[in-house]
Amino acid sequence: MNLIIAELEPLLIEEGLTLDLKTSFASFQTGERLPSTLTFINYLHKQDQLQEDVYLRLLAQLSVELTGLDLLNPYYDQTQLIDRRQQLQAVHSESSGQEQATTRRLGNLKQGASYQLLKQIGAGAMGSIHLAKDHFLRRQVAFKKLLPGLATAEVIERFLAEVQITAQLDHPNVIPIYTLDADESGAPAYSMKVVKGISMKEWLAQIRRSYDQGEVPEAHQLPARLAIFLKICDALELAHQRGVIHRDLKPANIMLGEYNEVYVMDWGIAKTFALPETDSLELDSDLATKVSLDSTSYLDHEIGQIVGTPRYMSPEQAGGKNHLLDQRSDIFAMGLILFEVICLKQALIGKDMPEILAKVIRGHFEPFASAYAEAISPALKAIVSKANPRRRVDRYQSMGELAEDLRRYLRDQPVLAHQESLLFKSLRLMHLYRTSLALVLILLVVLSACLSAGLIYNNQVRLQAARERQLVFGQIQSALANQAQLMTAQLMRQEALLRELSGITQVALERGLSAKKKPAFIIQMDSDPNLPADFAVYSGFSQARSFTEPLYLLPETHSASVDKSLLSLAPIAGDLQRLLLSAVSPAAIALVPEQKRMQLSAPTNPVDHFLVTLGNGLHLRYPGVMLPADTQPLQDPVYRLGSQAYEPIWASSSPDQKFLSCSLGLFEPNGLSLGMAGIQVKRRETLGVLLSLPHQVPNSSFYLLNAEAEVLESEPLAASALLTDTQQKRLRSSFAEASGYFDDQGNLFAFTRLGRAELYLVFRAKWSDLLASHVN
């Protein structure tokens, strides 16, 4: 209910209406209806709470299917608008050939017993999305399933096509699919990543409010808005290269995460289209792989129908010509969204749905002008106009062309869609180099005419140097981002091992008393330890250890709960050995025992040890190492930090440490803390080996710094002494941002944060060396 009312209330406010939606929704639910925004609006209209014109305007902003519309017929019958879910419920339930084939395809699906549905977080025309808990991996996922009564063959084909399409679009801006499953009724369902954030529609509303209040932060200004839009273009470019169009692009179907992630959502009505035999873009083979579907028979039901959201349709889509749709239909929709991103108002406004559809087909849009009287570049107007012609051949022919023109605009380069006049080119250059040109003009007035040629030459040299500087900095940014991505991936691999250790430990504790006797290798205050046979000092290690068994440290005084925990955790010794092997390589798990022993004791393994500390004082460490008998794990700051963590959390590191520590809380099903699991990795083996210098720039350095700007690793090693106190102080204050750069007395410092850890990758070089290296 809250989701439906939350979606409907802003629309009613725009119409100047105030309705008691909660009371109306309670009456609406007493009938045998499927709850959705569309069916609720239909109910309000039938109860005379919405006038005819308001009702039609609201419908125009929802994703619907229309059938048999005559846009020029003044006697258009509104009853031709269909609620797809009600229509599907009326389909006869007898099994046809298509239904039998669908049933065979679903035969191997297992019911999603490993998921516990917590609450509903979204709903669409045919499916609902729930926040769910994965019992085994101890994480939260989004679980999408069909609404009750809709598991007909056609709906299942649509649903499976949505899963297959989304899963094959492996892109950072497309939501990742985890598993294909089945709900409690045996109908198909699937789990995916939970996105915490807001829709682009809500984001644009926030931006309009900031303009209304006269305080527009940098994140709401046009360059930042276009950067978000470009991420959407990148995701759609991949989809188009693989032969898929979305067909329902609109701000409500785009999510912005809490860490500035952008996701193109809801591929429920996406369809495949024929790729050209010769691809002029010369794509990589991986990107050019066409998305494959088990069945497209559900598309047979779309003949003559108009599918999508009217306000964001292309003319061919609004005309029901589904067989003609290709990537240029999505490009048209993106042009309408770009119009809204730039002007902060919608491109299509009409009193009802037929008027909006007619405007789409005829190409009648609102004037291209900012809703807040901001000046808009003619280049941006040309880009939007190039995306939105009525004829497909007149539009951008790929999403990459649209994105490249926007990037040229952001780089202050001429866009291909706009033929600049000489005057406009001159004005653009004057704006870009206004300071330099003003200086030149003053000097021209002061100096005699005989020196003018020399001044113009010097000015051109400065402009060329600025362009070289900008190009070099772009290359450095790219190299730094690539290095940071590799290092973040390394940290995420260690986090994945920690998550697996946490899941194994929690399952063992919940199962309880799996072993018949306690582990033999226990450290206690009042007795000598019983050590494993392989306990020794290995090459590359300073401390003796056992790679076959973990060692257990008991508290000075312990209760029966400690003994119970010992019996519960004893069977996980084999899992710990497997995790340590997988840290070397997944292939190491399949080696023969002798080779496994060699891999386990290899000093190059990035993982030093795993540990588990329970709230009752029991401490486990693998590989087994001797700890002082008076060690108090519960007093360790890492325990206090990790025992309450629902996500992996990295402890701060200092220069005198060689390790990085990450911890994750262990919890009972009711949410009470059991303790924590941890992993300690070797910093140099994990991250230091990835430090590399781009372009072989002389005298340049890479640093791995903590949040206090202390040098943890450097390449070359001697570079750690080259940071002054002033530079460290400036870096420390700059770390308030996730990434950035600054110039310090001719030195370029560029930095970026690595994942969750408070670690920063920093590149340092002299501008003179950078420019000289680029020229050579």
Side-chain angles (χ1 to χ4, degrees):
M1 177 187 75
N2 292 334
L3 291 171
I4 293 175
I5 291 179
E7 181 180 4
L8 191 53
E9 274 185 337
L11 303 179
L12 293 178
I13 291 173
E14 291 180 4
E15 296 289 341
L17 295 178
T18 303
L19 297 180
D20 187 356
L21 293 179
K22 292 184 178 179
T23 302
S24 299
F25 194 85
S27 301
F28 165 72
Q29 281 192 309
T30 60
E32 295 182 358
R33 301 179 178 88
L34 290 169
S36 73
T37 307
L38 180 58
T39 54
F40 186 38
I41 288 177
N42 289 338
Y43 169 79
L44 294 177
H45 179 235
K46 292 177 181 178
Q47 296 296 318
D48 295 327
Q49 296 187 53
L50 290 179
Q51 296 180 1
E52 187 75 14
D53 56 341
V54 176
Y55 169 69
L56 293 176
R57 284 198 296 273
L58 293 179
L59 289 178
Q61 302 191 52
L62 303 177
S63 297
V64 298
E65 290 189 14
L66 308 173
T67 177
L69 282 180
D70 182 357
L71 296 176
L72 304 181
N73 184 353
Y75 303 103
Y76 158 67
D77 180 3
Q78 70 195 38
T79 62
Q80 290 176 301
L81 171 67
I82 60 172
D83 184 338
R84 187 61 177 161
R85 296 178 304 168
Q86 293 176 352
Q87 183 197 56
L88 291 171
Q89 282 184 304
V91 175
H92 199 276
S93 61
E94 293 184 0
S95 178
S96 64
Q98 178 185 352
E99 290 174 326
Q100 293 173 2
T102 301
T103 302
R104 288 195 298 271
R105 291 172 59 205
L106 299 177
N108 293 327
L109 288 183
K110 298 180 180 179
Q111 294 188 8
S114 61
Y115 296 110
Q116 175 189 356
L117 303 188
L118 303 178
K119 63 179 179 179
Q120 183 171 327
I121 57 176
M126 292 180 289
S128 59
I129 303 175
H130 300 260
L131 181 66
K133 180 181 179 181
D134 186 325
H135 288 299
F136 182 74
L137 295 181
R138 303 292 176 179
R139 65 177 178 182
Q140 290 186 340
V141 301
F143 191 82
K144 184 169 184 178
K145 63 177 185 175
L146 290 172
L147 292 173
L150 294 190
T152 64
E154 179 190 343
V155 176
I156 290 175
E157 294 294 340
R158 276 184 179 272
F159 193 82
L160 292 177
E162 176 186 354
V163 182
Q164 290 180 328
I165 287 173
T166 309
Q168 292 179 66
L169 298 179
D170 186 11
H171 191 276
N173 302 122
V174 177
I175 197 77
I177 299 295
Y178 291 153
T179 59
L180 178 61
D181 218 301
D183 64 14
E184 64 280 358
S185 67
Y190 64 91
S191 64
M192 56 187 168
K193 177 179 179 180
V194 177
V195 178
K196 298 179 181 179
I198 60 174
S199 69
M200 190 179 202
K201 181 178 180 180
E202 296 170 297
W203 179 65
L204 290 172
Q206 288 180 358
I207 294 174
R208 286 190 286 269
R209 285 195 295 271
S210 69
Y211 272 86
D212 292 335
Q213 296 167 1
E215 298 179 359
V216 183
E218 185 177 352
H220 286 176
Q221 294 176 10
L222 182 59
R225 304 200 302 262
L226 294 179
I228 294 293
F229 182 85
L230 283 170
K231 292 183 180 181
I232 308 168
C233 292
D234 293 340
L236 292 172
E237 174 70 359
L238 172 69
H240 294 167
Q241 289 169 352
R242 295 194 172 181
V244 174
I245 56 175
H246 189 283
R247 292 204 299 175
D248 198 17
L249 293 169
K250 57 183 177 181
N253 281 344
I254 297 162
M255 289 294 295
L256 278 64
E258 57 185 346
Y259 299 110
N260 291 326
E261 317 100 299
V262 179
Y263 295 104
V264 181
M265 309 288 289
D266 198 352
W267 296 79
I269 62 172
K271 70 181 292 284
T272 57
F273 68 96
L275 291 171
E277 293 183 2
T278 302
D279 197 336
S280 61
L281 297 178
E282 297 181 359
L283 301 173
D284 293 338
S285 59
D286 289 342
L287 294 180
T289 302
K290 180 175 174 60
V291 165
S292 61
L293 302 178
D294 289 341
S295 173
T296 59
S297 60
Y298 65 91
L299 296 175
D300 297 338
H301 297 273
E302 295 184 355
I303 298 174
Q305 292 182 348
I306 303 174
V307 183
T309 302
R311 199 180 297 278
Y312 298 95
M313 286 183 181
S314 64
E316 57 271 21
Q317 192 175 356
K321 302 175 181 179
N322 295 312
H323 63 288
L324 297 179
L325 301 185
D326 58 17
Q327 77 279 4
R328 292 169 292 185
S329 181
D330 276 356
I331 290 171
F332 189 97
M334 287 293 285
L336 297 178
I337 296 174
L338 181 58
F339 183 108
E340 195 166 339
V341 167
I342 296 171
C343 299
L344 297 177
K345 66 179 183 180
Q346 293 177 328
L348 288 166
I349 298 177
K351 65 179 183 298
D352 52 32
M353 191 182 306
E355 181 180 343
I356 289 177
L357 289 173
K359 284 187 174 182
V360 170
I361 293 177
R362 296 166 184 160
H364 294 171
F365 306 119
E366 293 298 301
F368 188 81
S370 170
Y372 296 93
E374 285 189 316
I376 299 178
S377 167
L380 283 179
K381 182 177 181 180
I383 292 173
V384 174
S385 298
K386 180 71 173 176
N388 290 137
R390 294 175 59 193
R391 299 197 318 159
R392 295 183 298 166
V393 295
D394 296 331
R395 302 173 200 161
Y396 288 107
Q397 297 302 294
S398 73
M399 196 64 69
E401 292 180 8
L402 169 59
E404 177 57 25
D405 246 5
L406 275 177
R407 289 188 171 99
R408 292 178 67 86
Y409 166 78
L410 290 173
R411 295 193 297 262
D412 208 9
Q413 296 175 343
V415 300
L416 302 180
H418 179 52
Q419 296 296 326
E420 296 180 345
S421 65
L422 180 60
L423 176 60
F424 186 87
K425 290 180 180 179
S426 302
L427 290 175
R428 180 170 55 80
L429 289 173
M430 288 176 65
H431 176 75
L432 181 60
Y433 304 111
R434 54 189 180 277
T435 303
S436 299
L437 289 175
L439 178 61
V440 170
L441 290 174
I442 293 174
L443 292 175
L444 286 174
V445 172
V446 174
L447 298 177
S448 62
C450 63
L451 297 178
S452 60
L455 291 174
I456 293 174
Y457 172 79
N458 290 334
N459 184 56
Q460 292 300 320
V461 170
R462 285 193 298 272
L463 293 177
Q464 180 63 29
R467 285 192 289 269
E468 291 288 337
R469 190 182 179 102
Q470 184 178 13
L471 179 60
V472 169
F473 179 66
Q475 294 172 342
I476 294 299
Q477 278 187 312
S478 177
L480 187 69
N482 290 337
Q483 288 298 111
Q485 185 175 9
L486 291 173
M487 299 173 85
T488 301
Q490 284 287 81
L491 296 176
M492 292 179 67
R493 291 189 187 99
Q494 317 307 342
E495 291 179 10
L497 292 174
L498 177 58
R499 289 181 190 273
E500 189 171 355
L501 172 61
S502 173
I504 292 169
T505 305
Q506 290 189 148
V507 170
L509 292 172
E510 289 178 10
R511 184 184 299 119
L513 305 179
S514 298
K516 295 182 179 179
K517 61 179 182 179
K518 300 177 186 177
F521 311 111
I522 297 175
I523 305 172
Q524 289 182 280
M525 288 285 292
D526 54 356
S527 63
D528 293 332
N530 182 18
L531 299 175
D534 71 327
F535 190 82
V537 176
Y538 292 84
S539 176
F541 296 91
S542 60
Q543 186 180 12
R545 60 192 61 212
S546 167
F547 289 98
T548 59
E549 294 288 340
L551 291 186
Y552 301 82
L553 176 65
L554 301 188
E556 184 175 355
T557 59
H558 64 276
S559 61
S561 68
V562 175
D563 295 331
K564 180 180 178 182
S565 298
L566 278 169
L567 291 172
S568 300
L569 294 181
I572 73 170
D575 292 310
L576 292 170
Q577 190 177 103
R578 177 179 55 80
L579 288 177
L580 190 61
L581 279 171
S582 64
V584 180
S585 168
I589 299 174
L591 297 175
V592 299
E594 182 60 28
Q595 292 175 324
K596 286 183 178 180
R597 284 192 292 270
M598 294 178 61
Q599 290 291 344
L600 287 170
S601 61
T604 55
N605 191 329
V607 174
D608 185 71
H609 65 264
F610 299 100
L611 58 95
V612 174
T613 302
L614 301 183
N616 57 23
L618 176 63
H619 180 75
L620 174 154
R621 186 166 294 211
Y622 176 82
V625 295
M626 281 293 296
L627 295 173
D630 58 348
T631 301
Q632 298 184 11
L634 297 181
Q635 304 303 319
D636 191 337
V638 174
Y639 174 82
R640 293 197 295 270
L641 183 70
S643 61
Q644 303 300 320
Y646 288 90
E647 293 290 336
I649 184 168
W650 292 87
S652 58
S653 183
S654 60
D656 57 345
Q657 295 174 331
K658 296 182 179 180
F659 304 99
L660 297 173
S661 296
C662 188
S663 53
L664 178 62
L666 303 171
F667 299 94
E668 295 181 356
N670 60 10
L672 294 178
S673 174
L674 290 170
M676 71 130 200
I679 183 173
Q680 191 169 79
V681 299
K682 304 168 189 174
R683 191 173 63 215
R684 187 71 186 176
E685 282 76 5
T686 302
L687 298 178
V689 296
L690 292 176
L691 296 175
S692 62
L693 304 179
H695 314 302
Q696 302 299 319
V697 179
N699 305 316
S700 59
S701 308
F702 262 114
Y703 300 93
L704 182 66
L705 305 184
N706 60 16
E708 297 301 318
E710 297 174 308
V711 179
L712 305 179
E713 304 286 348
S714 65
E715 182 62 37
L717 293 174
S720 59
L722 298 180
L723 289 180
T724 66
D725 293 343
T726 302
Q727 291 168 344
Q728 286 184 301
K729 182 177 180 181
R730 187 163 182 185
L731 282 166
R732 190 161 52 245
S733 62
S734 300
F735 288 167
E737 302 292 336
S739 62
Y741 69 95
F742 60 87
D743 196 332
D744 179 73
Q745 299 181 352
N747 290 291
L748 169 67
F749 283 86
F751 65 90
T752 186
R753 183 172 178 172
L754 305 180
R756 305 174 197 268
E758 288 196 353
L759 300 174
Y760 293 84
L761 177 62
V762 178
F763 174 75
R764 174 186 183 272
K766 289 185 176 295
W767 272 114
S768 57
D769 291 333
L770 286 169
L771 294 174
S773 174
H774 176 70
V775 172
N776 294 334

